[in-house]
Amino acid sequence: MSAPIVLGIETSCDETGVGIVRGTELLANVIASSMDEHARYGGVVPEVAARAHLEALTPTLTEALERADVTLADIDAVAVTSGPGLAGALMVGVGAAKALALSLGKPLYAVNHLVGHVGADVLSEEELELPTVALLVSGGHTSLLLVRDLIDDVELLGETIDDAAGEAFDKVARLLGLGYPGGPAIDRAAADGDPTAIRFPRGLTQPKDLERHRYDFSFSGLKTAVARWVEKRQDAGEDVPVADVAAGFREAVVDVLTQKAIAACTDLGVPRLLLGGGVVANRRLREVAQERADAAGVALRIPPLDLCTDNGAMIAALGAQLAAAGRAPSGLDFAADSTLPVTTVQV
Ligand code: KG4
Ligand code: ZN
């Protein structure tokens, strides 16, 4: 008997994702993004995202079924992100998943978005080796996890105490007048810059910070430091060297992210690091992570980019793992939970 076919729905932020897997085999991964609708605000507007999910869900679902070459009758189970994320956005996916599961008479698994990012890796050719440290970096999260077991034992080592890494890229891009989303814009601007020309602060890396916040992150101080640096130049009537500022800022973010992730691997004796989230699109992040992982004897795994950004396939993959392990489905009386802790893999 072949593995069950699971359909996964993801609507926690601005991507409407529908993915279909057969066990650990990816059949379809269709993503509609409302990013363009948020561009004029410089960040995701929750109400706009929720409405965009409503509009995009049915066409995205239809396209995923087509690409997977299956019909709804072939689906054995439905999985959905129930948290964490934007409440109104999550509700759209949760409502749709409940309706689908109920009408098809199939089990429904409500799963954790962050663990979904880790689950994406089971779709890779090589088997995911555990335990692993996972660094998840996007516009909404910056979390360092210790994953001993994908469906049973996920521990939060640390997270950002203020802005998410992607959010910092977006805010700094905005203050440099580079547009939204900030990550790619900063990347382009930084290409001609000198990353060592300006040394911006590395949040929570001082000895006194490390005692309490060894694996936590902070990016709001960095953003403010960039803003002050730029203002000072402007007040003095000098030109702002945008390329150097972008390169220096990017270097500070990448330095802290990789330093802390590798430190966790070394401290915990876990020689594996998995990256996930939209910020993984940053080439400098991947480069430095690889250098430091090699130096520390850590095996680095980076799923393909369309499985790193928010998507439905990772949710389907996690649902398939739960189904394969014989977990009871979630029923229909759970609700979207915008602050679902990462230790709760399934609701
Ligand atoms: O995972 P994702 O698609 O959606 C969520 O935020 O959940 O991540 C989007 C974030 C945005 O903040 C964007 O600026 C950032 O990822 N990003 C990047 C790059 N490409 C996208 N950040 C740094 N460098 C990039 N090349
Ligand atoms: Zn995400």
Side-chain angles (χ1 to χ4, degrees), residues 13-15 138-141 166-167 169-170 181-184 187 277-279 281-282 309-310:
C13 191
D14 60 336
E15 274 96 14
S138 75
H141 27 267
E167 191 180 356
F169 271 92
D170 295 335
D187 251 356
V279 179
N282 194 288
T309 53
D310 289 350

Side-chain angles (χ1 to χ4, degrees), residues 1-8 19-29 64 67-70 75 119-126 307 312-321 324:
M1 204 189 87
S2 65
I5 297 181
V6 181
L7 180 137
I20 302 174
V21 304
R22 184 189 284 120
T24 59
E25 183 195 350
L26 179 64
L27 300 183
N29 184 25
R67 290 219 196 148
D69 199 19
V70 297
I75 302 296
D121 200 59
V122 305
L123 300 171
S124 308
E125 304 242 307
E126 258 175 84
L307 290 174
M314 69 185 195
I315 301 306
L318 182 53
Q321 295 288 309

